[in-house]
Amino acid sequence: MTLETLVQLARSRTPADRSRVQLATAALALSGALLLGALRIARLGKGELSNDVYSNYIAESGLRSGLIAILIILAALTGGLAVQALRLGTAARERRLTALRLAGASRKQLRQLTVTDAAIAGLAGGLLAGPGYLVLSLLFGALPLMARVLPGAQAMDAVLWIPVVVMMTAAGAVIGSLLHRDGPMSRQPQSAAQRRTGIIAGPVLIALGLLASPWMGYVGSTIVLAGLALFFLSTSGIWIRGLGRRLQRSGDPANLLTGLRLVTDSRPATRICMLLGCCGFLVGTLANGIASVQVDDQLGGTTAFYTTGFGLTIAGLVLVALTAMAALIVGVADQLVDQRRQFASLTALGVDLPFLRRVIRRQLTVVAAPALAAGLLFGTVTGINRVAGGAVGPFDPGTLLLAAILTIAGWLLGHLGGAAAGFLLRNQLRDALDPENLRAA
């Protein structure tokens, strides 16, 4: 196939397919903007800079390298959302690939079509990365000096924009090639031995990390987070499937269908539940740190430094949590494609779009809301001092009040994400209920 033919065949033709490409493009654009920010800070060199011109996080060379690493990590995480989006198929896209296969297209040509589809999203994302970084730098430029962690754009950024465009296009093409599959992909559930290992090893690592943090510093904090992630990953699958079986016994048809979906494919929800729980734990810990700094009279003039650092870290973690929520929504949309024939057959039983939207909202809510709420509660109560190895005092009423507020906020955010999913997936839901899916090969 020629390049023009590949572009024509890969072009989105339905609202659902366009939503998939737009999500991948937005994720790659944000990833490219963050990379431009990292390159901009790296061009400042390794020496110390003036605190009157730059934020402390940029002026100090040691903190500057850490800020670059954080931006690269955030770029990788947002790029992971693009991977999830490009995994998503739509009924129309699957039918088009099937039609091409039946028309005589080879596996190589179908792979080229998938790569071209992803490369177009990468190219568009790379082109939007430049304006995206400009907007981010202007937004951060309006903040107080301490919070200006992205320097203003320069003419050199336009030159570096070109390799970022190439990088995003290549990344899209590589993702498309890696995600292409000629047949259905088997999904192996987590074994009972793996679950037992995580349930036992997770609390052990958490306890070791908390005990070792006064002497091992950030190493102990990392052990705590690793144990927490392992524990969340091992237990979330158990309660998700248990909740699904309980919903299956409900007299509400929406709960029954929600339970069936949770039990049938719980592994993606388990991974996202683990990520949301860890993000909630870190946000709660940092919020506790901000509260501790505000009441600490010994910090003196450095209060703004610590508060800004904690606040920016929380903003980054919120971005990660939103990315995880978006990935969960994309995963549910992928389930809609895999099970479109079953959903189409339900139209004969009177299942309509509002009913299916209610099912999807409950499926996401029962995963996101408890994970965020539990993570925020545990992180706030544990506190920054216990995790970082500082002086540990008894629980005060202010900490408990903050934990209650953040727990309620996490629960409401999970429900808000479920409501947003019902709106964002409206095209995929409509495609899943299309009776034409019964004729798909």
Side-chain angles (χ1 to χ4, degrees), residues 87 185-189 237 240-241 258-271 328 331-332 334-336 338-339 363 367:
R87 285 185 65 248
M185 184 180 298
S186 60
R187 299 179 180 179
Q188 299 295 331
I240 286 175
R241 281 189 293 271
T258 301
L260 287 172
R261 291 174 59 78
L262 289 174
V263 173
T264 301
D265 191 9
S266 63
R267 190 170 183 178
T270 300
R271 292 194 297 264
L328 180 59
V332 171
D334 198 33
Q335 289 179 341
L336 292 175
D338 292 339
Q339 302 169 7
Q363 179 183 352
V367 173

Side-chain angles (χ1 to χ4, degrees), residues 24-112:
T25 300
L28 290 172
L30 180 57
S31 179
L34 293 173
L35 285 178
L36 282 172
L39 292 173
R40 174 70 179 89
I41 297 174
R43 294 208 320 271
L44 296 175
K46 298 182 178 180
E48 301 293 329
L49 301 175
S50 173
N51 292 332
D52 297 330
V53 179
Y54 297 99
S55 167
N56 290 51
Y57 301 99
I58 295 178
E60 299 181 24
S61 59
L63 296 178
R64 190 158 62 245
S65 60
L67 182 59
I68 293 173
I70 291 174
L71 289 175
I72 293 176
I73 292 173
L74 288 176
L77 290 172
T78 52
L81 175 59
V83 176
Q84 292 291 333
L86 292 174
R87 285 185 65 248
L88 173 64
T90 64
R93 177 171 173 266
E94 291 294 322
R95 285 196 295 266
R96 187 165 72 248
L97 292 177
T98 301
L100 289 172
R101 187 182 296 109
L102 295 175
S106 63
R107 291 185 176 182
K108 180 180 179 180
Q109 290 172 330
L110 292 177
R111 177 179 291 275
Q112 290 175 343

Side-chain angles (χ1 to χ4, degrees), residues 10-12 16-34 75 78-88 115-133 161 164-165 167-169 171-173 175 326 330:
R11 187 166 55 90
S12 304
D17 204 18
R18 282 193 290 270
S19 299
R20 177 184 67 88
V21 176
Q22 289 168 359
L23 179 59
T25 300
L28 290 172
L30 180 57
S31 179
L34 293 173
T78 52
L81 175 59
V83 176
Q84 292 291 333
L86 292 174
R87 285 185 65 248
L88 173 64
V115 171
T116 303
D117 180 32
I120 291 174
L123 175 62
L127 293 175
L128 292 174
Y133 170 68
W161 184 16
V164 170
V165 172
M167 187 183 304
M168 292 297 103
T169 305
I175 293 171
V330 171

Side-chain angles (χ1 to χ4, degrees), residues 149-193:
V149 295
L150 280 183
Q154 294 181 344
M156 187 63 183
D157 294 320
V159 177
L160 295 176
W161 184 16
I162 298 175
V164 170
V165 172
V166 176
M167 187 183 304
M168 292 297 103
T169 305
V174 170
I175 293 171
S177 177
L178 294 175
L179 295 181
H180 177 76
R181 58 187 184 188
D182 298 318
M185 184 180 298
S186 60
R187 299 179 180 179
Q188 299 295 331
Q190 188 182 33
S191 65

Side-chain angles (χ1 to χ4, degrees), residues 286-337:
L286 294 170
N288 177 275
I290 292 178
S292 300
V293 167
Q294 294 298 325
V295 299
D296 193 345
D297 298 331
Q298 298 179 354
L299 291 176
T302 60
T303 301
F305 175 79
Y306 288 102
T307 302
T308 303
F310 288 148
L312 291 175
T313 307
I314 288 176
L317 290 169
V318 170
L319 177 62
V320 173
L322 292 176
T323 302
M325 287 287 292
L328 180 59
I329 294 173
V330 171
V332 171
D334 198 33
Q335 289 179 341
L336 292 175
V337 175

Side-chain angles (χ1 to χ4, degrees), residues 143-154:
L143 297 175
L145 179 62
M146 186 68 71
R148 296 175 189 173
V149 295
L150 280 183
Q154 294 181 344

